[in-house]
Amino acid sequence: DAGVIQSPRHEVTEMGQEVTLRCKPISGHNSLFWYRQTMMRGLELLIYFNNNVPIDDSGMPEDRFSAKMPNASFSTLKIQPSEPRDSAVYFCASSFRTGVGFTEAFFGQGTRLTVV
Amino acid sequence: TQLLEQSPQFLSIQEGENLTVYCNSSSVFSSLQWYRQEPGEGPVLLVTVVTGGEVKKLKRLTFQFGDARKDSSLHITAAQPGDTGLYLCAGPLSNFGNEKLTFGTGTRLTIIP
């Protein structure tokens, strides 16, 4: 397995533009997470899917952010319109949820987003 | 409010020294994980602890889960430059009956050759 695949690796966009980040989780995993990492706030959980269903989106900053998981092998995180404060590294991770928690979370290499 | 507090936030020590970093919460975990993240990469799992009081060793790294399953520590013996990185603890925290994998604030470790 190639691991969690994210695209693009880097994205530079102008304020106000729409940005779409993509993620392909590891086959067989039933949980998918979108995290945002900054120096100031660390690794923040934005949204969590279990079996393709959004379970907790309480970390999504505001209505400008939306995430979808149309099937078990693909998820997107969209920001519209983007703002400079959205600049961060966005990670997608997948795992297998068990009865007592989660197995290892495998992370993609992240998308470094810069909004100018 | 951070549910998983790690300390220290930054640590810089000489090669060969020992160190301990901590992960604390007021919540009880069913399990706890430690990850290490290197620049430009995503976090990578080091260990999972499940039982209160459990101690796991990974070469020079020793992980301990608190008896009450609210805290954990990572001890590194004879630190080496390759240990440099961001160390993160993570746990499945419940939110209205749903568990989500939440990460701590992180300890950024630098080992000076």
Side-chain angles (χ1 to χ4, degrees), chain A residues 30-35 45-60 67 69 93 95-98 101-102, chain B residues 93 95 97-101:
Chain A
N30 61 2
S31 298
L32 183 139
F33 308 86
W34 281 101
Y35 291 91
L45 178 64
L46 300 177
I47 188 168
Y48 153 49
F49 292 87
N50 194 53
N51 293 320
N52 312 337
V53 176
I55 301 299
D56 189 329
D57 65 354
S58 58
M60 296 285 260
M69 192 166 186
S95 179
F96 188 84
R97 185 173 181 223
T98 71
F102 298 90
Chain B
L93 293 178
N95 184 28
N98 291 309
E99 288 186 326
K100 55 185 180 181
L101 189 60

Side-chain angles (χ1 to χ4, degrees), chain A residues 19-109:
Chain A
V19 175
T20 299
L21 311 181
R22 296 174 175 80
C23 174
K24 182 181 187 311
I26 290 175
S27 177
H29 283 180
N30 61 2
S31 298
L32 183 139
F33 308 86
W34 281 101
Y35 291 91
R36 177 172 67 179
Q37 188 174 42
T38 61
M39 285 296 292
M40 289 292 292
R41 301 174 68 90
L43 198 61
E44 300 174 278
L45 178 64
L46 300 177
I47 188 168
Y48 153 49
F49 292 87
N50 194 53
N51 293 320
N52 312 337
V53 176
I55 301 299
D56 189 329
D57 65 354
S58 58
M60 296 285 260
E62 48 198 273
D63 292 345
R64 297 184 298 105
F65 285 69
S66 63
K68 294 181 180 179
M69 192 166 186
N71 56 63
S73 59
F74 184 66
S75 177
T76 59
L77 177 67
K78 185 178 293 185
I79 308 173
Q80 165 64 18
S82 58
E83 296 183 2
R85 61 191 167 122
D86 302 330
S87 297
V89 180
Y90 290 80
F91 286 103
C92 174
S94 71
S95 179
F96 188 84
R97 185 173 181 223
T98 71
V100 292
F102 298 90
T103 60
E104 176 178 0
F106 288 85
F107 281 76
Q109 290 190 295

Side-chain angles (χ1 to χ4, degrees), chain B residues 1-95:
Chain B
T1 303
Q2 281 286 355
L3 296 174
L4 283 165
E5 293 284 347
Q6 291 187 242
S7 61
Q9 188 177 0
F10 298 94
L11 183 59
S12 182
I13 65 170
Q14 293 288 335
E15 180 178 359
E17 293 184 353
N18 301 333
L19 66 107
T20 303
V21 298
Y22 301 92
C23 173
N24 293 288
S25 176
S26 57
S27 301
V28 176
F29 300 101
S30 56
S31 62
L32 195 93
Q33 298 174 333
W34 283 92
Y35 291 77
R36 180 170 64 208
Q37 184 180 17
E38 298 186 6
E41 302 292 330
V44 176
L45 181 72
L46 296 173
V47 77
T48 300
V49 286
V50 179
T51 306
E54 181 178 3
V55 176
K56 279 193 173 179
K57 292 193 174 185
L58 184 66
K59 296 182 180 179
R60 293 176 294 100
L61 278 59
T62 301
F63 303 86
Q64 185 163 8
F65 202 10
D67 291 340
R69 291 184 290 127
K70 292 183 178 182
D71 56 88
S72 180
S73 64
L74 159 59
H75 182 79
I76 301 178
T77 303
Q80 298 179 1
D83 297 327
T84 293
L86 177 66
Y87 288 81
L88 296 157
C89 63
L93 293 178
S94 292
N95 184 28

